[in-house]
Amino acid sequence: MPETETPLPPLDPADWEQYRALAHRMVDESLDYLRDIATRPSWIPTPDAVRTEIRDESLPRVGRGDTATYEDFLRLVRPYPNGNIHPRFWGWVMGTGSPQAAMADFLSSVVNPQMGGLDHAPIYIEQQVIRWYAELMGYGPNAGGLLMSGGTMANVLALAVARTHSAGWDVRKTGAYGGPPLRVYASAETHSWLKKSCDFLGLGDDAFRRVPVNADFQVDVAAMSEMIRADRTAGLRPFCVIGTVGTVQTGASDDLEALADLAAREELWFHVDGAFGAMAALATHPKAQVAVRGMSRADSIAFDLHKWGYLPFDVAVVLTKEDRHLTDAFSTQAPYLASATGGLNASGSIHFADRGIELTRSFKALKVWMSMRAQGTDLLGQHIARNIDQAQYLEELVRAQPALELLAPVPLNLVNFRYVAPGLDAGALDALNRRILIALQEQGIATPSGTTINGRFAIRVAITNHRSRNEDFDALVTAVLRLGAELRA
Ligand SMILES: Cc1ncc(COP(=O)(O)O)c(C=O)c1O
């Protein structure tokens, strides 16, 4: 044993005052960066030289120091993100974040608590934001939940709970094959999380019964009912019905009242994927209220806060109507985690690790709690309502232009449209619109994404952006018309 401790440079700052100055500089420059975001292009592709420099750096066995590393971040990383913080970003479904929540993430890392359980204030913060969101979604006091990394993870967790609860045998003991093959019913428009989840839970893709949709992209409930009946007759085991509030393609919402009735009649678990759409519950907008009607009848709801909650990645919520549904599916009895009569692991404290898969969890709850308290959920609902109005505004702009065509109804916050020109066949129109989309992105004008609706390529605008204003949609339409004419020529 050495008698004296080896002297080492600390991993904490060697000079706290010097580091304080650098940290203040980081904060100041970050706030300027966010304040001036609208003055920059919506996207700047990463230059080859930057990509090469990042890739070719050899393993840094000796540190370069804090200031040099921060300056490399400013030069190599910060100018070239995917750009979802920009007011003209409407691709896929991503939120914008906020400076306040970014600071909360910083504070959360400073305290750096372990959120699997134990008796400490951060746990009570997560418990409280779960209660608040349960109330906003129309759940009662017995509801449970936990924060997750994203909609995919929140949904897969809910599907695992549904399986434990409704398979009809002890899945936790005998696994997925302790009885007849399990089947889950959801619309063909359901996000790819469900296919992945069926793979991941060992159910297989055959377990996912893809139910057709109507002209408004809502699930055909009568067809679903018939599929359940036929599967039972064939000796299969239906266990779960899934509805979506806000589908990823068009923003359609299923008839949740009808799905809740069906699930009750068939004694199946009823889950709602509200990845972005569930947040419409916070808005008094009539379209929002139509979208979420019946949602509180679900046994479980999954939704993101990093989409229409405008928080930085990553944070999502899974709620179950009864808290015990989560613990039934995930609690364990490991001796090294057993609670004590007092101290840090006192019994009665909340063990989030018993409500999901993750044991070690981060303090995401702080940015949720601070944002909710500082801004208020009514204001959040007003921003959500404004995004719905902006989708309608864009819909009207598209309808007013003979050279543009709407490709799907606009029930919520998503608009699918394309440029049209006489004399072009279907393939040429698709190719032209793909080129328009790439040009919009590469010229840094705006970032919609693309999809295919009823066989036609669509420029897809998903508005979960609190920084967008009507003039941003004016600019989008002007650019699509210009690029359409230019690229056609
Ligand atoms: C309807 C829907 N469900 C699930 C997801 C998956 O959520 P996440 O990307 O947070 O994993 C998305 C993502 O866009 C979505 O739109």
Side-chain angles (χ1 to χ4, degrees), residues 93 150-152 155 191 193 246 248 273 275-276 304 306-307:
V93 193
T152 300
N155 277 304
H191 185 275
W193 74 264
V248 64
D273 170 18
F276 62 92
D304 282 299
H306 61 214
K307 290 186 167 62

Side-chain angles (χ1 to χ4, degrees), residues 351-362:
H351 278 264
F352 284 110
D354 278 341
R355 286 165 175 73
I357 288 290
E358 289 179 318
L359 172 56
T360 298
R361 307 173 63 248
S362 72

